[in-house]
Amino acid sequence: MILAKELKQNWDSSEMIMFYHLFSLTDRQKRDIRNMFYKENLFFHICSPEVVKLAVRDTPFTSIQHLFESNTALLFSPDKDIDKILQLSKTTPNAILMAGIVENKFLSRTQLQKLNDALKTDGHQVLAQFLDSVPSHIVGTISHHQRMLTHLLSQVTNIKN
């Protein structure tokens, strides 16, 4: 029960929570993964399914309890740096990122990647590209009509000759 309360406190104080499925890990591998995340100010907790279910029980995410039937770990992040977590997760073949909670929304790994890609695109860059393309589009439209008029007039003169 004490572990569940501690997990619940971490849950409440985190901006992002990630869920990992764990394959068989040695104690050294567990420590290495935990240390790797800790160096990045991320907190990796390996808990039994019962403890995790107790911690999740009084949250809006009680429906995800079925994820905790086997070896599971939780990663708590004080900030919303999805890219950092995705990059670090690539280096842990025995700890597979399954899903996460960002801004109180449960997202699959695929959705996390899409959100990360959307956050990476710079809105100013997209706007600048659009504004750069508008004048050339207008010139192309005006030139098209001039070319069509010239072509039609040359056909009319060719027919008269």
Side-chain angles (χ1 to χ4, degrees):
M1 193 67 161
I2 294 171
L3 290 174
K5 285 182 182 179
E6 181 183 331
L7 206 58
K8 179 81 167 104
Q9 287 174 345
N10 287 334
W11 184 291
D12 292 338
S13 65
S14 297
E15 290 290 321
M16 278 193 322
I17 302 154
M18 299 293 158
F19 303 97
Y20 286 82
H21 174 74
L22 301 177
F23 293 106
S24 60
L25 294 170
T26 64
D27 288 338
R28 179 167 178 81
Q29 288 173 321
K30 290 177 187 177
R31 188 176 65 245
D32 290 344
I33 291 172
R34 193 176 292 119
N35 289 341
M36 176 191 66
F37 284 121
Y38 185 77
K39 288 176 185 175
E40 299 294 330
N41 198 29
L42 303 167
F43 307 101
F44 191 77
H45 293 277
I46 300 171
C47 299
S48 69
E50 293 78 21
V51 171
V52 177
K53 286 179 183 181
L54 283 172
V56 173
R57 184 176 53 199
D58 296 328
T59 68
F61 303 101
T62 55
S63 62
I64 64 171
Q65 288 182 350
H66 70 279
L67 292 175
F68 308 112
E69 297 297 327
S70 63
N71 295 333
T72 307
L74 298 174
L75 179 72
F76 298 102
S77 174
D79 57 352
K80 296 177 188 163
D81 193 354
I82 299 170
D83 190 48
K84 176 170 58 173
I85 292 173
L86 290 173
Q87 293 302 320
L88 290 171
S89 296
K90 289 179 182 177
T91 64
T92 58
N94 289 337
I96 306 299
L97 177 63
M98 294 187 300
I101 296 174
V102 180
E103 296 180 356
N104 286 326
K105 292 185 180 142
F106 186 79
L107 304 170
S108 69
R109 180 186 175 105
T110 306
Q111 290 170 324
L112 286 168
Q113 289 172 329
K114 287 180 183 177
L115 177 60
N116 183 50
D117 293 343
L119 293 173
K120 278 184 177 179
T121 55
D122 184 15
H124 296 290
Q125 181 183 8
V126 173
L127 180 61
Q129 288 173 346
F130 172 73
L131 292 175
D132 285 342
S133 69
V134 169
S136 64
H137 181 68
I138 291 172
V139 168
T141 303
I142 293 171
S143 298
H144 170 72
H145 293 295
Q146 287 176 343
R147 282 192 307 268
M148 287 298 293
L149 183 60
T150 305
H151 177 70
L152 291 173
L153 288 174
S154 69
Q155 282 182 343
V156 168
T157 49
N158 286 341
I159 292 174
K160 288 185 178 179
N161 291 335

